[in-house]
Amino acid sequence: MSAALRLSPLTLAMAVAMATCPAVAQQAPDEVQVITADRFGDANDQLMVVDTIDRKTIETLAPKSVYELLARLPGITVTSNGGPAQSGSVMIRGANANHTLVLIDGVRTGSATLGTTPLEALAPEQIERIEVLKGPRAAIWGSDAIGGVIQIFTRKLDQGQWYAAAEGGSNGYWRTSAGAGVSHGDGHTSLTVNHEQSDGFNVRRLGQPDDDGYQRTSLALRGEQRLTEQWQLNWSGQVTDGNYEYDYDPTWGPGHDEADYLNYHYAVGAQFDNGVLTSKLQLSQMQDQNEHYNEAEPTLGVNEFRTQRHQLSWLNQVRLDALTLASGIDWYEESVEGDYAKDSRHVFGLYSLARYDHARWLAEGVVRMDNVSGVDSEVSYQASLGYRFTDTLHLSVSNGTGFKVPTFNDLYYPGSGNPDLVSERSENWEVTLHYARNGVKAHLSGFHNDVEDLIQWAPVGDGTLWVPQNIADATLKGAEFGLEYQVGAWMANAGYTYTDATDGSTGASLIGRSEHQADLGLGYQWQWADVRADYHYQGEREGSGRQIDAYQLVNMSVGYQPSAHWDLRLKLNNLLDDEIVSSNDYYGPGREFFVSVSYRGF
């Protein structure tokens, strides 16, 4: 019997036990809007699995990177090439890193050359909330959402609200940040700034014997203006200027070991809502720019990569009692700089959604069409059905398809691109048991995702030239359990994921995926103090040519609030000083400590 079959009955028993436990005599926290689920913000999580990380949790965890926040969620595997500012990746339920769609304030931010988003460039201090959507919902969002969707919302401060903070700690780490909110008539705007720097540590044992430091400075803006009772304008933007050091592979001789980047995005939009019809229009632009070099070896030159994307979305929704209808248009043009055979393309997508919610039944269907210039056209769908056994326990079944458009590197990289590539495609099933009652929320999911036409770089001819081809496929299946508990002064979370991610042609395990992953967190809030401990277990997994060992990570955060405005915090990372290897030859930091002080003018 497989590990999944052995573990599922135990996990199911835990869910049933929670469903039959007595009510807890506390009120649940206010429900957070789940915008990522249907792009309008009034869909609940009864048909899908959505994990939300709010501002309070971010402040308590005191993370050094977005990767640290995401790694604690069930179903998500994070790899990092060293410290918090080195490049990393996020895999949802065994899918590839570029099978995750990342949006910041609704703006697509993935690189058109690499296909991934540099989350290492984002400062957690400037984030208000993160929503992670897992399962077959790609038809709502289009390309890249094969594994799931991560949407990040920047800080929101009202009139008179402001803060200032400073933090220092291990490896020469230092951070300063501040933010303020201002009003203008029936509207407000938030402005935040953050600067971080660190001497770093040696991230690669087989590389250069030096510390790999980093620095980043970011400015973010977010606001809205109500024009009438029904009309509203909104805007957001962020620019990040940074630098990080890394180690080249010495077996290939001297190489680049440092990178500068300048990334930005901005969006402006308008919304109409009369209680029945909601219409949203948003225009946005993003840039991802990197320059790689080696100051000690100037003859190596500078490799520059820059991609831009202009985007337009128009979404409409009509609410008719038990029936909700929605339709939307997405258009974007992306371009790259460099010696590419083709340096721009546009994507046009159109989707329609219908949702019916009556009595114990909840049903939803989505159909989407996308046309990618120079590549192909794709039609994707999603169908979901939910049944409420009680007000607290319900079951949902979902099936959907998705796709991933080849990147510019795949199609047109000088000397080795393949313009005949087609999009990667997936079909995803999910069955989930949901439970929610008085501060306790849990889910148990089984998932099965078949991905075809995966792009893989392989040798052609005499083997001296490698080109990308649609020659691979994968099967991603497993089970996921998540629990959140927040009652009175206590808070806790637990998660476990079993993942069987295999190559469809060989049956071998895919690189970087662990069969077993577990998380446990426990916190307590006194009147003027709080303490929290978090445990993360990452099982062994295949690396490039070798097995990567399992590791355990224990972090702790202790806060003291001498008044309603001041917050003093001690953060301890990797208390066990375990050797953390999440990618071949790249090591995480050892035991670390950080001390921060912040003042909030609200």
Side-chain angles (χ1 to χ4, degrees), residues 17 100 175 225 296 322 328 390 423 451 453 508 538-539 544 562 570 578 598:
T100 299
R175 171 180 65 86
Q225 178 70 50
T390 67
S423 296
V451 189
D453 293 324
Q538 190 73 50
S544 298
L570 171 65
D578 203 2
S598 63

Side-chain angles (χ1 to χ4, degrees), residues 80-87 170-173 197-215 243-249 255-259 293-294 585-589 592:
S80 176
N81 290 342
Q86 271 71 30
S87 60
S170 298
N171 302 317
Y173 177 85
Q197 62 187 54
S198 173
D199 296 336
F201 60 97
N202 189 18
V203 301
R204 194 172 188 181
R205 304 285 173 84
L206 299 180
Q208 302 154 278
D210 61 348
D211 291 337
D212 301 295
Y214 68 90
Q215 65 86 21
N243 165 277
Y244 66 94
E245 299 168 340
Y246 58 95
D247 290 342
Y248 58 78
D249 189 340
H256 294 146
D257 62 0
E258 191 170 352
Y293 56 91
N294 186 329
D585 301 326
Y586 289 93
Y587 292 77
E592 298 178 301

